[in-house]
Every structure is written in structure tokens, then in C-alpha cells.
Amino acid sequence: MTTKRKIIGRLVPCRCFRGEEEVISVLDYSHCSLQQVPKEIFSFERTLEELYLDANQIEELPKQLFNCQALRKLSMPDNDLSNLPTTIASLVNLRELDISKNGIQEFPDNIKCCKCLSVVEASVNPIAKLPDGFTQLLNLTQLFLNDAFLEYLPYPALRLWVLGSIHRLSQLERLDLGSNEFTELPEVLEQIHNLKELWMDNNSLQKIPGCIGKLRQLRYLDLAKNRIESLDTDISGCECLEDLLLSSNMLQHLPDTIGMLKKLTTLKVDDNQLTSLPNTIGSLSLLEEFDCSCNELESLPPTIGYLPNLRTFSADENFLIELPREIGNCKNVTVMSLRSNKLEFLPDEIGQMTKLRVLNLSDNRISPFTFTKLKDLAALWLSDNQSKALIPLQTEAHPETKQRVLTNYMFPQQPRHDEDYQSDSDSFNPTLWEEQRQQRMTVAFEFEEKKEEEDNSGKVEINLKRYPTPYPEDLKNMVKSVQNMVGKNQLPLSTGTNSSGTNMEPRKQEQYEPPWPMPPKEVTDRVTPHTQKPTHTTTLSLSHTHTQIQKQMIILYIVLFG
């Protein structure tokens, strides 16, 4: 019974509540950088029920710790323990033991005295053997031995435990033997009738024997990352199986009896060598997640349309040329990924998948298709180089069928050559992307460009004139002096002579615009200040002096405005 004082003892474990020892039942020393067990713990040996020593640097457990006979949970993962002392047998009320992520090599044989043990977490330890007394823990319900460096039954004691006495653990429900070196599945597992969850992933299993079908209470089976080449037909005996993980194996086919797993909700067979799927796959009426990516599938069975509860479907990196029309009956699918296939079109029935929100079609050969009924579609992937999931679409008419379709500039996709392939980890090639984008735009926006040309045909072209930025204040005086020189050397509109003294024909008036905007007060005539402001139409002489002035003006203009 938890009291207010017990909670205080958990929050402030290092404070000594003298006079209240009888109510302290939980102490938490996790992440305290301890090198040994605090001595304050021994003051509560009569009442202490839970002790947490997680993530410290403890190398040895003192004998006084095992005088806490009321202890029910002892948690000390991620320390530097190398063994468990034999005095652990005195913890007769211990129910949960967590010694994962240490350096423990063996269990003491007298651990059999901990009759109440129900959960043992010993993962990530270099365990050399398991004692025979371990099989006498009849109340054990959960046993975790993953990443324990167990090889192919190298030790007699381990062989005896695995092949001979484990069946005595009739209450065992969860068994984790993943990430070890097992090459075969122990047949004696069939005698653990209450086993509900079994992990054998990341081992070296080559086949699954038919005895697996005798685990009728099994709900979760993880056989991923092995070398399994075939699955026995007796797998159908696991009638309660809900999750079956067979990823990253060497399966070439699935048995037809897999359709008898009526309660299956998750099926993962990705990263195998499957060339086809059995038609009985359609019998899995409760299936919600199906992943068959990274195989050699050229087609999907039409019975896939008999999966009404399917919500996530992945068939990436296969050789699919088309999809069965029956797939439109999977109306509850929200995520569908068909990346890296050979699809050229999608059936019109895909428009019936009204709950579809994410559709990945990148790296295919898709032509314009219709899914105008997919109102909930929020993310559409069409290219490996695509940076955003949401793609703007426009309605167009198919040139051959005249059918109204949704398309964009990425349709149709360009066929990809294997030598040009770059994985997701490679750097982005902007040049290649720009070339592909230009090619796609010529196809995708052909209709829109014509429309814009027609709309712009009656518009008047407007020329914008750019004026230079006003020059700094310290250069104004220089500009004024140049303007004064220009005003004094202007000649009246008449017949002039050149520098050699010969007569010249009267020339027409030329419109002269200064290379920068002139302020109004500087435009007035410098010779006749009382006259009105002259126009900017002026005749310039070609005298030698004026030519020099023009050169100075040009040089100044270049200096000012580059």
C-alpha cells in the first residue's frame, strides 16, 4: 500500500528519514554516478520493496544488500557488474530482476531459491551458461536473453536447459532469444503451451520446423534477420497469431496455409526473394499492415482486394508492371507506397480508395491518371529528388481518351537508367534535376503555356526605365562644375564649322538627355538666367573643347555609376 511518505522516499532517496524507516519502501538511485551501493539502503532492509540502481558504475553488490528480504524488484541495468553473488538466494520474495547491460557471465545455481521470480531481464550480457536451477523458476513469465552472445548450443548446461528442461516453465509467456547465434529453433518450445510472444530475430536460423504450429497461444512471432528459406505449412496451427515478422530472410515463397491465420493483423515479408504471393492472402480479413517490399514480385494477386481492414500497404522495390483492379476495394488504406517499380498506369478503381492520404509513386513510369475522388490525399511522392510531400495538381483532359485527369509537371516520369541511379544518401545533383525538370515541364505545362500565350496576346508591352541611385553628397559639387562647363560651351542652333574651319551643313536637332536626372534648379540657362527654362533639345558642337568635356563627363559617369 503506497503512502505519501513512500513517494517522498522515492523522490528524495538520499535523505535519511529517521523514525520513519518502517514506511520507506521505494528508493531510486538511478543516474547518480555511484561506484558502490549506498549504505543508507541497509537502514530500510525490513521495508524496502523496490530498489533502482540504474545507470551507475557499480562493480560489486555487497552482502548486506541481500538482507533486504522484503525486496520485490531489483533494477540495476547499465552498470559494471561481472557476476551475481550466491547470496541472491536469500531474496525469496524477489519478483523482478533487471541486470541487463552489464558484464555478467553466469547465474549462480542457487537462483532457484527465488521461487517468486516472474520477470528476468538479462539482455546484453556475455552469459556463458544458464544453470540447471534456472528451470525450477516455475513462476517465470518473462525471460529476456537477447544480445547475450549465445552461440549454437556451445555449453552442455545450456543445451540441457534449452532442449530438456525449458518445458517445465509452463507459465512462460514472453521469451526473447534475439540477436544470438542460434541456427535452429529448439523443438522443445512446442511444450511451452502458454507462450504468447517469441523473439528469434537476428540469429542464423535456416528453417522453421513444423513444431512451431503447436504454439496455439502464440500472438507475436519475430523471425526477422535470419536465413530462413522456407516456412513450414504447419504455421497455420498458430491460430492466435496476430503479428508475423519475416523481414530480411531468404524466403522464395509463402505457403498457402498462411491464409489460415485468421487473426493476423501485421504481416511483414519485406527484403526476401519472393516472386509471387499466394492467393490465400486474401483470407486474412483482419490484416491491417502488409509489407512486401524489396522482393521480386511482378504482380499482386487479385485477392488482395479482399483485405477490407488494410490500412498500410508497401510494395516498394519490386518489378510490378500493373496493379489489380481489385485493389480499389481496400477502401480503408491510408498509406500506400509503390516506390521503385515499373508501373506505367494505375487502374481507375484506385479512385475508390477515398481514405488514402499518402501515396508514394516515385521512380515509376506513371502517365497521367485520375484520382479526382481522393479528396483526403495530402501527400503525393513522384520523384526521388522531391523535397516536399504536397504536390499541386491541375485538371486536364487526356489527349487520347479525353478523360479528365489530375496531373502536374512531373508527369509522365522519365525512365531511370541504373547507371544514373543515386541512393538517398548520395548528394543532390542540381544540374541533372534541372535538366529533368525542363523536360518534364515541356510535357506537363504544354496546355497551360498555350493558354497563357492566348491570354497575353492582346496586352500592351510596358517598358520600365531604371534610374540610377542618387549620388553621394560629396560628389554633387563635381557634377555641378561639369554641368556649368557644358552650359557655357553650348552653341546656338546654326551652321557651324569644324575644327579645320570648313563649312558644315545645318544638322537637325538632336535630343540630348543627361546621363543622370538633373535637379530643376540646375537646368536653368546659365547665360540668360532671366529667361524661361530651356528645353532639353540642344545642338552640340563638335569642337575640341566640348569633346574633352564629354570625355570628362563619361569618365565621371563611369566613376559614379559603374
Side-chain angles (χ1 to χ4, degrees):
M1 178 174 170
T2 304
T3 63
K4 188 173 182 180
R5 292 178 180 175
K6 291 179 183 179
I7 298 176
I8 294 176
R10 180 181 177 86
L11 295 177
V12 192
C14 297
R15 181 178 299 175
C16 182
F17 296 93
R18 301 192 180 277
E20 299 181 358
E21 292 86 356
E22 68 277 2
V23 296
I24 299 297
S25 62
V26 179
L27 290 175
D28 191 350
Y29 289 89
S30 300
H31 301 275
C32 293
S33 301
L34 300 177
Q35 295 184 356
Q36 58 184 2
V37 178
K39 296 181 180 180
E40 305 93 81
I41 294 177
F42 310 142
S43 303
F44 313 110
E45 60 182 20
R46 292 183 299 174
T47 59
L48 189 61
E49 296 180 1
E50 297 182 17
L51 175 60
Y52 298 88
L53 298 169
D54 304 13
N56 285 288
Q57 303 172 12
I58 301 174
E59 298 181 357
E60 187 178 359
L61 298 178
K63 295 182 179 180
Q64 296 92 328
L65 175 63
F66 301 100
N67 293 330
C68 304
Q69 297 186 1
L71 200 63
R72 295 186 178 184
K73 183 174 181 179
L74 177 58
S75 178
M76 42 190 177
D78 198 7
N79 277 278
D80 298 327
L81 299 174
S82 58
N83 58 68
L84 284 177
T86 57
T87 50
I88 194 174
S90 59
L91 301 180
V92 293
N93 293 313
L94 190 64
R95 296 181 180 179
E96 297 183 26
L97 175 63
D98 189 349
I99 54 173
S100 60
K101 299 181 182 180
N102 279 279
I104 298 175
Q105 299 181 5
E106 61 181 359
F107 285 90
D109 186 71
N110 61 355
I111 196 174
K112 61 186 178 182
C113 298
C114 301
K115 301 291 185 180
C116 295
L117 263 180
S118 61
V119 179
V120 175
E121 170 63 271
S123 302
V124 196
N125 279 287
I127 299 176
K129 61 180 180 179
L130 293 173
D132 296 341
F134 213 91
T135 60
Q136 299 183 26
L137 302 176
L138 302 182
N139 291 316
L140 197 63
T141 60
Q142 301 181 34
L143 176 59
F144 300 92
L145 290 170
N146 58 291
D147 293 277
F149 304 96
L150 297 177
E151 300 179 0
Y152 175 64
L153 307 179
Y155 306 103
L158 182 60
R159 180 185 296 273
L160 177 64
W161 180 76
V162 175
L163 296 181
S165 303
I166 194 174
H167 68 278
R168 299 178 58 183
L169 304 178
S170 58
Q171 302 298 322
L172 192 63
E173 297 181 356
R174 304 179 66 184
L175 177 61
D176 190 347
L177 296 175
S179 300
N180 285 288
E181 298 291 333
F182 290 104
T183 57
E184 61 181 7
L185 191 68
E187 296 183 2
V188 75
L189 289 179
E190 65 184 75
Q191 301 180 27
I192 308 178
H193 302 294
N194 289 327
L195 193 62
K196 294 181 174 59
E197 300 180 14
L198 175 60
W199 285 268
M200 290 292 298
D201 57 298
N202 200 15
N203 278 275
S204 300
L205 303 177
Q206 297 181 358
K207 63 178 181 179
I208 302 300
C211 65
I212 193 72
K214 296 183 179 180
L215 301 177
R216 300 188 180 278
Q217 300 297 323
L218 195 62
R219 298 178 182 177
Y220 183 93
L221 178 59
D222 190 350
L223 299 172
K225 297 182 180 180
N226 280 279
R227 302 174 184 175
I228 302 173
E229 298 180 357
S230 61
L231 191 64
D232 197 279
T233 56
D234 291 340
I235 189 69
S236 58
C238 301
E239 53 189 20
C240 293
L241 197 61
E242 298 178 359
D243 297 278
L244 178 58
L245 309 184
L246 295 167
S247 306
S248 301
N249 278 284
M250 302 173 66
L251 290 171
Q252 297 182 0
H253 69 278
L254 295 177
D256 293 337
T257 55
I258 199 171
M260 300 177 65
L261 304 176
K262 301 295 184 179
K263 295 185 179 180
L264 203 63
T265 59
T266 301
L267 176 60
K268 294 187 177 182
V269 292
D270 54 296
D271 194 14
N272 279 278
Q273 301 174 10
L274 299 175
T275 56
S276 62
L277 296 175
N279 289 325
T280 55
I281 202 77
S283 301
L284 306 177
S285 57
L286 298 180
L287 194 63
E288 297 180 0
E289 182 179 359
F290 182 33
D291 191 350
C292 58
S293 303
C294 302
N295 280 281
E296 301 175 9
L297 301 175
E298 296 182 358
S299 62
L300 298 175
T303 53
I304 198 172
Y306 300 153
L307 304 176
N309 291 305
L310 191 63
R311 287 173 171 77
T312 303
F313 175 58
S314 298
D316 301 335
E317 298 186 32
N318 280 281
F319 302 102
L320 299 177
I321 300 176
E322 60 180 3
L323 298 179
R325 297 184 181 275
E326 290 79 3
I327 198 171
N329 296 327
C330 302
K331 299 181 180 180
N332 288 316
V333 173
T334 58
V335 178
M336 183 165 66
S337 183
L338 300 169
R339 175 178 54 84
S340 298
N341 280 279
K342 297 182 179 180
L343 297 173
E344 296 182 357
F345 67 92
L346 296 181
D348 293 341
E349 285 76 7
I350 199 174
Q352 301 175 11
M353 305 171 70
T354 55
K355 294 185 179 180
L356 192 62
R357 291 188 56 82
V358 179
L359 179 60
N360 190 345
L361 296 173
S362 61
D363 191 20
N364 277 279
R365 304 172 183 176
I366 299 295
S367 299
F369 61 94
T370 176
F371 44 80
T372 54
K373 297 181 180 179
L374 303 181
K375 298 180 180 179
D376 291 337
L377 190 64
L380 177 61
W381 296 90
L382 296 167
S383 172
D384 289 337
N385 292 328
Q386 189 173 317
S387 60
K388 294 183 179 181
L390 187 59
I391 297 299
L393 302 174
Q394 65 262 15
T395 303
E396 293 184 3
H398 195 278
E400 298 179 358
T401 63
K402 305 302 180 183
Q403 183 183 14
R404 302 300 295 178
V405 298
L406 289 179
T407 183
N408 64 26
Y409 68 91
M410 289 187 177
F411 286 137
Q413 297 185 57
Q414 303 295 324
R416 187 189 68 185
H417 303 287
D418 294 337
E419 58 270 14
D420 296 335
Y421 175 71
Q422 292 184 348
S423 63
D424 295 339
S425 60
D426 293 340
S427 60
F428 175 71
N429 189 341
T431 304
L432 179 60
W433 167 247
E434 181 63 22
E435 292 177 359
Q436 294 178 353
R437 188 182 68 84
Q438 293 295 338
Q439 294 176 1
R440 290 166 176 162
M441 287 180 63
T442 57
V443 176
F445 286 108
E446 182 178 1
F447 177 78
E448 295 295 336
E449 289 177 354
K450 290 181 178 179
K451 183 177 180 181
E452 291 180 0
E453 290 177 359
E454 294 175 358
D455 296 341
N456 297 334
S457 59
K459 295 182 179 179
V460 179
E461 185 177 359
I462 300 176
N463 294 326
L464 300 178
K465 187 175 181 180
R466 180 179 178 182
Y467 289 94
T469 305
Y471 35 79
E473 188 68 25
D474 55 351
L475 297 178
K476 285 186 177 181
N477 296 330
M478 295 176 60
V479 175
K480 291 180 181 180
S481 61
V482 173
Q483 290 176 348
N484 292 335
M485 296 174 64
V486 172
K488 293 179 180 180
N489 288 275
Q490 287 180 349
L491 298 178
L493 185 62
S494 61
T495 303
T497 58
N498 58 9
S499 58
S500 58
T502 58
N503 294 333
M504 299 179 60
E505 294 294 333
R507 62 177 62 187
K508 297 181 180 179
Q509 291 183 344
E510 296 179 357
Q511 184 173 359
Y512 171 75
E513 292 184 2
W516 55 79
M518 297 178 61
K521 61 181 180 179
E522 300 295 340
V523 181
T524 56
D525 192 353
R526 300 295 180 180
V527 180
T528 56
H530 300 289
T531 60
Q532 295 181 349
K533 183 189 302 182
T535 61
H536 291 285
T537 303
T538 312
T539 301
L540 301 179
S541 66
L542 299 177
S543 62
H544 180 70
T545 303
H546 188 67
T547 303
Q548 293 180 348
I549 295 176
Q550 284 184 325
K551 290 181 179 180
Q552 294 178 359
M553 292 176 60
I554 293 174
I555 294 174
L556 181 59
Y557 181 81
I558 294 175
V559 172
L560 293 177
F561 306 106

